[in-house]
Amino acid sequence: MARPEQVLLLEPQHELKFRGKRGGPRLSYFYGPLLFTFLSGPFSDVVTTNLKLSNPTDRNVCFKVKTTAPRRYCVRPNSGIIDAGTSINVSVMLQPFEYDPNEKSKHKFMVQSMLAPPDMTDMEGVWKEAKPEELMDSKLRCVFEMPTENEKTHDMESNKMSSSLLKSESSALPVKSLSSTLNDGEVKNFMEECKRLQMEAQRLREENKQIREDDGFRMGKSNIMSSQHASGSMKREEGLSARSVALILLFFTVGVIVGKLVL
């Protein structure tokens, strides 16, 4: 059974055109054991084209956008619902790649659609349960357009203008900075701020020095007191030991005398 005719109006109808830009040479360099390669050619950057889907019917329509090269394209939105009498723009973004002329005929897109049920709550479930005779589709092929000589010349002129603009801006920067430094009010404020910071640094150094001196004085005083205490205790110990020896000698002498008297 033949499928029904597509109810959506596509713009463009048959081709999605991607216009490339003037590209530079292919660059490669090693970073340690790794090899980094920069793409060259007309499609070394993202190229975007738009696909307009219009719903002229009086019913809501579900749609899906599919491609034969899903890794090469980013489609937003790639599915959804188009209300009756409205339209939607689909952005098709071609990802950067190394252009191969033999590959241009392999990329194709298909817009699949179906009439939405009145009481639809789950769009994915509706797609799964849809019958083949309810599905409508339109196919588009991709066309890669090369930049013309005029576009190449325009790009070269744009690059020259941008480079000259950057140079003029860079040369204007010293003049601007010089004029700003010659402002007497700003210079005065700057000098006052420097002087205030220097005074603050000097005050902090003096406070730090005073704190170190106070710490040294307290440590020295504690050392003196501890040494005096130690010398005093040593003297007391020496005095006690001398008294003990004298008492021993005295008792020994008394004992000898008493012993002689007894005998």
Side-chain angles (χ1 to χ4, degrees):
M1 183 178 178
R3 290 191 175 186
E5 187 178 354
Q6 176 68 270
V7 296
L8 295 178
L9 300 179
L10 279 64
E11 185 182 345
Q13 296 182 356
H14 306 292
E15 294 179 344
L16 289 176
K17 296 182 179 180
F18 299 91
R19 182 178 293 276
K21 300 179 182 179
R22 180 179 177 271
R26 183 186 181 95
L27 300 176
S28 299
Y29 73 96
F30 284 95
Y31 184 78
L34 303 177
L35 174 64
F36 292 88
T37 302
F38 294 94
L39 296 176
S40 63
F43 299 99
S44 57
D45 293 327
V46 176
V47 181
T48 303
T49 189
N50 293 320
L51 173 63
K52 185 178 181 180
L53 304 178
S54 301
N55 179 13
T57 68
D58 56 354
R59 293 183 57 181
N60 296 344
V61 177
C62 302
F63 77 94
K64 278 186 177 182
V65 181
K66 299 181 180 180
T67 177
T68 56
R71 295 184 179 180
R72 290 286 176 86
Y73 299 90
C74 180
V75 182
R76 292 291 182 272
N78 58 3
S79 63
I81 301 175
I82 305 176
D83 295 334
T86 63
S87 61
I88 189 172
N89 287 321
V90 177
S91 296
V92 182
M93 292 163 278
L94 173 64
Q95 302 304 301
F97 75 105
E98 193 74 25
Y99 175 67
D100 183 5
N102 299 323
E103 195 179 6
K104 63 181 180 180
S105 61
K106 297 180 181 179
H107 298 182
K108 293 181 177 63
F109 275 82
M110 181 177 69
V111 178
Q112 197 171 42
S113 63
M114 63 177 294
L115 296 175
D119 55 349
M120 184 187 68
T121 56
D122 182 13
M123 188 172 63
E124 289 299 325
V126 170
W127 281 108
K128 291 179 181 179
E129 298 174 359
K131 298 177 182 179
E133 59 269 17
E134 297 176 345
L135 300 177
M136 300 165 282
D137 59 63
S138 300
K139 295 180 180 178
L140 302 93
R141 67 187 187 94
C142 298
V143 177
F144 300 139
E145 296 182 343
M146 298 296 105
T148 61
E149 292 297 327
N150 293 333
E151 290 176 344
K152 291 182 180 180
T153 305
H154 177 70
D155 292 339
M156 293 178 65
E157 292 178 354
S158 299
N159 292 333
K160 289 181 180 179
M161 290 178 62
S162 61
S163 61
S164 62
L165 182 61
L166 289 174
K167 288 181 180 179
S168 62
E169 288 179 353
S170 61
S171 61
L173 285 176
V175 177
K176 184 178 179 181
S177 61
L178 182 61
S179 63
S180 63
T181 55
L182 293 176
N183 190 334
D184 294 336
E186 292 182 358
V187 172
K188 185 178 180 180
N189 293 334
F190 178 74
M191 295 299 294
E192 290 178 354
E193 183 68 16
C194 290
K195 187 180 294 184
R196 187 186 67 80
L197 292 175
Q198 290 176 354
M199 293 176 64
E200 183 69 18
Q202 181 65 24
R203 185 182 65 80
L204 292 175
R205 283 195 295 267
E206 291 177 357
E207 289 183 357
N208 192 19
K209 182 179 179 181
Q210 186 65 33
I211 291 172
R212 287 200 300 267
E213 290 177 354
D214 293 342
D215 291 341
F217 177 75
R218 284 195 295 269
M219 292 179 64
K221 186 175 181 180
S222 61
N223 291 333
I224 292 172
M225 292 178 65
S226 60
S227 61
Q228 290 178 352
H229 178 72
S231 60
S233 60
M234 289 178 64
K235 289 180 179 179
R236 286 195 297 272
E237 290 177 356
E238 289 177 356
L240 290 175
S241 60
R243 291 176 183 176
S244 300
V245 171
L247 289 174
I248 292 170
L249 291 175
L250 178 61
F251 288 145
F252 178 75
T253 305
V254 171
V256 171
I257 294 173
V258 171
K260 287 182 178 182
L261 292 173
V262 172
L263 294 176

